[in-house]
Amino acid sequence: MENRSVKKMRIVLLGPPGAGKGTQAKKIAAKYGIEHISTGDLFRDNIKNNTELGQKAKAYMDAGKLVPDELVIALVEDRITKDDCADGYLLDGFPRTVAQASALSAFNQKIGKPLDVALNIEVPESKLVERVVGRRVCPRCGASYHVHFNPPKTGNVCDNDGETLVQRPDDSEATVRTRLSVYHLETAPLIDYYQCKQILVNIDGDQPMDDVTRAIFLKIDQAS
């Protein structure tokens, strides 16, 4: 029997770098038939399509500057009002700050479509560093591996095309610890923000991937 779909679910996915948000986001979107919206993809799509918002974002990025909050918020607001988000969406990578979360809440209230749940994947910091530092990717096809948890079948080469795997520059231990520091400073306060909104759901991310997925599905079903 197929799992029932949950209609019109609007979800925010929280968690530190290395918590597995990207993997779980794809599974959630597929099961519940909702759009998976990542800020990275949003930037790329708008720049590729040469939209007005995309042109503005590109100008900041080309200058090596951070895209300001008001522009990121405008991109997200524009995206979640598209027809394919009518039955719900999952935001991955947004909001990153309480200011962004507050702006999203105000916009959703204005259009009468509040968030249903904020999923927070929790993983101990020592495990996060191990997860991220061990990641390897194929520079040709983009396949992702891990030296301990998901190694390639043979040596350090991609199963798909035999290309030598590489470690991304931002997956070094020093970079990971810097990203975690930024997360704790700017993004972790979102946990308290959504707790006060009474829509926060904590998920134990320090367990096998399929168990994390099942726990997430259970919480979403309960929230619906």
Side-chain angles (χ1 to χ4, degrees):
M1 180 181 296
E2 292 186 1
N3 292 320
R4 65 186 180 87
S5 294
V6 177
K7 294 299 184 182
K8 303 185 187 303
M9 289 295 288
R10 290 171 288 276
I11 302 169
V12 162
L13 188 59
L14 307 174
K21 297 189 298 297
T23 298
Q24 297 300 336
K26 291 181 177 64
K27 292 175 179 290
I28 295 167
K31 176 177 171 61
Y32 296 104
I34 58 178
E35 289 296 308
H36 172 205
I37 302 171
S38 77
T39 48
D41 291 342
L42 203 52
F43 283 141
R44 284 187 287 271
D45 289 346
N46 275 270
I47 291 171
K48 179 182 177 181
N49 294 323
N50 202 32
T51 68
E52 181 180 353
L53 291 173
Q55 291 173 10
K56 292 180 179 178
K58 188 174 186 297
Y60 284 99
M61 295 164 72
D62 286 349
K65 298 178 181 179
L66 289 175
V67 179
D69 263 5
E70 58 267 25
L71 184 50
V72 179
I73 292 165
L75 282 163
V76 172
E77 290 178 353
D78 176 70
R79 180 67 183 88
I80 64 177
T81 54
K82 302 296 187 188
D83 289 344
D84 59 358
C85 290
D87 284 339
Y89 55 79
L90 181 144
L91 289 173
D92 174 14
F94 181 94
R96 290 187 181 276
T97 65
V98 171
Q100 290 181 355
S102 181
L104 176 64
S105 178
F107 181 75
N108 281 341
Q109 184 175 6
K110 183 174 71 174
I111 64 176
K113 296 180 177 180
L115 290 174
D116 295 290
V117 61
L119 294 170
N120 175 44
I121 303 178
E122 300 179 302
V123 181
E125 186 162 324
S126 60
K127 297 289 184 69
L128 292 169
V129 174
E130 180 184 13
R131 285 185 183 186
V132 178
V133 172
R135 286 196 301 216
R136 299 293 185 271
V137 296
C138 174
R140 180 181 297 176
C141 73
S144 181
Y145 300 87
H146 193 282
V147 294
H148 299 303
F149 309 127
N150 181 35
K153 295 176 182 176
T154 306
N156 189 45
V157 298
C158 180
D159 296 344
N160 300 327
D161 50 37
E163 190 79 10
T164 299
L165 302 177
V166 299
Q167 182 185 45
R168 297 183 305 189
D170 59 352
D171 283 348
S172 69
E173 182 170 351
T175 302
V176 173
R177 292 197 180 279
T178 298
R179 289 167 62 198
L180 286 170
S181 295
V182 172
Y183 169 80
H184 289 305
L185 179 66
E186 294 187 349
T187 309
L190 288 171
I191 296 169
D192 290 336
Y193 177 87
Y194 284 118
Q195 182 74 63
C196 290
K197 295 278 187 182
Q198 298 184 327
I199 62 170
L200 182 75
V201 173
N202 291 312
I203 302 292
D204 178 10
D206 188 19
Q207 54 182 329
M209 182 179 66
D210 289 343
D211 291 344
V212 176
T213 304
R214 280 190 286 271
I216 289 173
F217 290 169
L218 176 62
K219 293 297 185 180
I220 292 176
D221 288 345
Q222 290 173 345
S224 65

